[in-house]
Amino acid sequence: MGERAGLAIVCALMLGCAAFGPFPHPVPLLFGIAAVGAANAAFPLMRTFGSALLGGVAAASIGLASVPFVTCSSDKFTDVFTCTGDAPTWHMTGAVLVAGLSGAGLVLARVLGTAVLERRLSAVRTREEHR
């Protein structure tokens, strides 16, 4: 049951960062998608879908982490990302944070899947011993 609680905590952290964090767009959207993935990964039927969302968000956020630094250095692309003040720094910080939390969610989902499988196998072995 600890893995599910861990996924709930990761999901709550992601939602909190999306709602209250100082991150420019599209980082809150990445947090929201990753939170949906973490919530789905807590349930056996949706674990594969949740893990796929978490992995996709982790890969996308690492890919997007440095983009504002490149686009904000040119006047041509300033409307793509927010380029005022510390926005590129917060963008990279948020992207790395969402990638880390997504990775933690992936690990917890994998451990939860393994624990559920071990419990099922233990139950089968117990039934076989009683025959």
Side-chain angles (χ1 to χ4, degrees):
M1 201 51 123
E3 296 87 6
R4 281 201 176 113
L7 280 168
I9 290 169
V10 167
C11 184
L13 284 171
M14 289 179 188
L15 289 174
C17 286
F20 304 113
F23 309 112
H25 67 86
V27 176
L29 179 64
L30 290 172
F31 275 116
I33 294 170
V36 169
N40 281 324
F43 300 102
L45 184 62
M46 297 298 289
R47 189 162 298 126
T48 303
F49 176 70
S51 295
L53 276 178
L54 288 168
V57 167
S61 62
I62 291 299
L64 287 174
S66 64
V67 172
F69 289 102
V70 175
T71 58
C72 291
S73 64
S74 171
D75 293 332
K76 189 160 98 176
F77 299 111
T78 56
D79 59 339
V80 176
F81 291 99
T82 307
C83 292
T84 58
D86 290 340
T89 304
W90 279 113
H91 184 280
M92 185 168 83
T93 303
V96 170
L97 186 61
V98 74
L101 287 172
S102 295
L106 279 169
V107 169
L108 287 169
R110 176 71 179 154
V111 169
L112 179 61
T114 303
V116 168
L117 181 62
E118 286 176 1
R119 282 186 219 124
R120 287 181 183 167
L121 288 174
S122 175
V124 168
R125 286 184 191 131
T126 304
R127 272 188 256 140
E128 291 296 321
E129 289 174 357
H130 292 306
R131 283 186 181 186

